[in-house]
Amino acid sequence: MSLLSMFRRRDSAPVARERLQVLLAHERAFIGKSDLLAILQEEIIAVIAKHVSIERERVQIKLDRGDPISILEIDVEVPSAAAAAAIGEARPMMAGD
Amino acid sequence: MATVVVVTSGKGGVGKTTSTAALGAALAQSGQNVVVVDFDVGLRNLDLVMGAERRVVFDLINVVQGDAKLPQALIRDKRIDTLSLLPASQTRDKDALTAEGVTRVIGELREKFDWVICDSPAGIERGATLAMRHADTAVVVTNPEVSSVRDSDRIIGMLDSKTVKAEKGERIEKHLLLTRYDSARAARGEMLKTEDVLEILSIPLLGIIPESEQVLRASNLGTPVTIGNPNSAAAKAYFDAARRLRGETLVVKVPADPRSFMGRLFGRRAVA
C-alpha cells in the first residue's frame, strides 16, 4: 500500500453502521411476524385465483428494503385467453382419466 | 439463589465458548460456585477450552436421559475447586436433548451452584433455544462486524420471546460482550465502534474484550485466560465483566497489552 492510498482510503465503519441501521429497522418489523413474504404470497395468490386462472409457480413476490421506502413487487403471469382455456380444459380431462 | 446465564450470539466463531470459560473461571476465582454447561450437542468444545477433554465420562445427554446422575457427569476443575463443567455429548442425535430433560437438569444445577453458565451453540435452532430457555441473564457475544451484529439482533429478539422469563411476562437481563475489539482500528474508522454497536443493539455493555493473542494461547493450552494469564488485557476485561455480572458498577475500559516498539509507533499514528 502506498502512502498516498493510505490517506485516500475511505472509512468503512460508518458505512457498516448505516447499512446495519437500515437493515435492522426492517428486520425488526418483519421477523417475528413469521415469514411475511410467504404469508403475502399465499394470500395474494388466493385473491387472484378467485378471478383469474393462474399457475402458482408464475407468481413472483419480491420485497426490496430501502430507506426511506421499501418496494413490494408482485409479478403475476396471467396466461392469454387461449392458454387459460387450455388449462381450464385440461383439468377436467385429467380428473376424468 | 442461583443465576442461570446463557452465553449466546447467533453467529458462530465470535467467542461464545472462550467467553463462557473465561467468565465462568473469573466468577469461580472470586469464590462463587460455578458450573459451565456445554449445550453444543454433537460439536462439544467447552471441555477442550477448559482443558478437561480427557476427563469426560458422562455428559449432558446422559443426565437428561437418566443414564447417569448429575454428580457423575460433573467434572470438577483441577485448578479452581469451585468451578465445574457439564460437557455436551458427541452424539449426532440432537433430539436427545429434550425440553423436559433440560428443565430438570437446570433445576438440579440451580440447587448446587451460584452460577449456571450455559454455552449456547451457534444458530437459532433447537439447541440455541434450549440453551437460553431457562436463563435469567443473557450475555450476547458480538464482534464489531456487520454479520455478527445482525445475528445478535435476531438473538435478542428471541431472548425477548422464547425464554421462560419472557413467556411469564418478566424481563430477561441482556448484556453485550463485545469481543475481538481493536480500539486502534475503531479509531481509524475501520471497525465499528463500541458506541455504534451499543446504539444499534441497545442493550447494556458488560465488557469489551480486546483482540488479543492471549485468547488463542489460552485455548491452545486448555486454560481459561483468567487462570492462565490473569494479568493480560483480555483476562482483566473478563474479570471486570464478571464483576458487572455480579451487579457491580464499573467504568468500562478497553485494557491493552503492552505493545512492541513498532506497534506503539503504529498505534500513535493511527489515533492521531
Side-chain angles (χ1 to χ4, degrees):
Chain A
M1 191 198 314
S2 76
L3 202 63
L4 245 171
S5 73
M6 215 152 72
F7 284 113
R8 242 189 248 146
R9 185 177 51 204
R10 282 186 52 217
D11 290 349
S12 58
V15 181
R17 177 194 150 102
E18 204 185 310
R19 288 177 60 219
L20 272 170
Q21 279 172 330
V22 171
L23 173 72
L24 293 182
H26 285 277
E27 284 191 347
R28 283 173 194 153
F30 290 119
I31 293 171
K33 292 176 187 165
S34 76
D35 196 347
L36 180 76
L37 270 188
I39 295 169
L40 277 177
Q41 177 138 0
E42 279 310 304
E43 295 189 358
I44 289 169
I45 288 177
V47 169
I48 298 175
K50 254 201 249 174
H51 306 284
V52 195
S53 75
I54 50 166
E55 286 178 55
R56 299 183 65 87
E57 303 78 49
R58 300 285 168 86
V59 180
Q60 295 286 335
I61 299 187
K62 271 200 313 197
L63 184 61
D64 199 356
R65 292 155 182 173
D67 193 28
I69 56 158
S70 300
I71 297 170
L72 178 65
E73 199 179 309
I74 305 167
D75 192 346
V76 185
E77 233 179 78
V78 181
S80 63
I87 295 172
E89 276 166 24
R91 279 198 184 135
M93 271 172 68
M94 277 162 67
D97 271 354
Chain B
M1 181 64 193
T3 307
V4 178
V5 180
V6 62
V7 179
T8 186
S9 71
K11 190 178 186 299
V14 296
K16 283 182 295 298
T17 302
T18 305
S19 296
T20 301
L23 283 175
L27 284 166
Q29 282 164 287
S30 67
Q32 300 280 297
N33 239 318
V34 181
V35 62
V36 288
V37 186
D38 192 347
F39 269 83
D40 204 345
V41 173
L43 290 173
R44 74 163 176 233
N45 273 319
L46 187 56
D47 56 337
L48 198 53
V49 171
M50 298 282 295
E53 70 276 12
R54 289 164 60 168
R55 299 171 61 205
V56 176
V57 182
F58 294 111
D59 55 53
L60 177 61
I61 299 281
N62 294 140
V63 181
V64 162
Q65 295 188 330
D67 299 333
K69 295 261 176 254
L70 183 58
Q72 292 177 293
L74 287 173
I75 302 170
R76 173 87 62 93
D77 191 271
K78 285 194 166 162
R79 299 150 298 207
I80 309 223
D81 62 3
T82 54
L83 180 62
S84 295
L85 162 73
L86 181 54
S89 93
Q90 279 183 309
T91 169
R92 291 166 76 194
D93 182 15
K94 293 199 173 188
D95 294 336
L97 207 58
T98 60
E100 304 75 50
V102 169
T103 306
R104 180 174 56 80
V105 173
I106 296 285
E108 283 180 46
L109 290 171
R110 271 188 197 270
E111 282 168 24
K112 285 179 185 283
F113 296 94
D114 302 318
W115 295 89
V116 180
I117 306 185
C118 306
D119 182 21
S120 172
I124 53 171
E125 305 300 323
R126 189 185 162 76
T129 50
L130 281 176
M132 69 170 64
R133 186 84 191 127
H134 300 278
D136 304 303
T137 299
V139 173
V140 180
V141 183
T142 308
N143 290 168
E145 180 272 326
V146 286
S147 57
S148 175
V149 175
R150 179 198 212 175
D151 292 357
S152 293
D153 193 73
R154 265 311 271 291
I155 283 291
I156 291 169
M158 290 176 65
L159 288 165
D160 286 331
S161 59
K162 306 223 159 155
T163 51
V164 172
K165 275 212 148 182
E167 284 172 6
K168 280 199 275 184
E170 293 169 24
R171 245 188 84 258
I172 173 161
E173 256 186 67
K174 300 174 293 282
H175 303 275
L176 176 74
L177 188 65
L178 198 57
T179 53
R180 309 201 66 168
Y181 192 72
D182 185 331
S183 353
R185 297 197 70 191
R188 289 202 295 271
E190 296 173 4
M191 184 183 262
L192 286 168
K193 288 191 173 68
T194 308
E195 307 87 76
D196 296 337
V197 182
L198 282 175
E199 192 194 327
I200 292 167
L201 295 178
S202 52
I203 57 173
L205 183 62
L206 186 69
I208 303 168
I209 314 300
E211 172 80 70
S212 161
E213 56 196 46
Q214 294 304 323
V215 173
L216 179 60
R217 184 182 147 79
S219 77
N220 285 346
L221 299 175
T223 310
V225 71
T226 51
I227 300 175
N229 196 345
N231 292 318
S232 65
K236 282 181 195 158
Y238 278 119
F239 279 125
D240 280 1
R243 286 173 65 188
R244 285 187 204 99
L245 263 185
R246 294 185 66 182
E248 282 186 50
T249 312
L250 301 167
V251 178
V252 180
K253 288 177 292 192
V254 190
D257 281 319
R259 273 180 294 191
S260 63
F261 176 68
M262 285 303 286
R264 228 176 298 156
L265 269 181
F266 195 65
R268 234 178 242 163
R269 182 197 59 77
V271 173

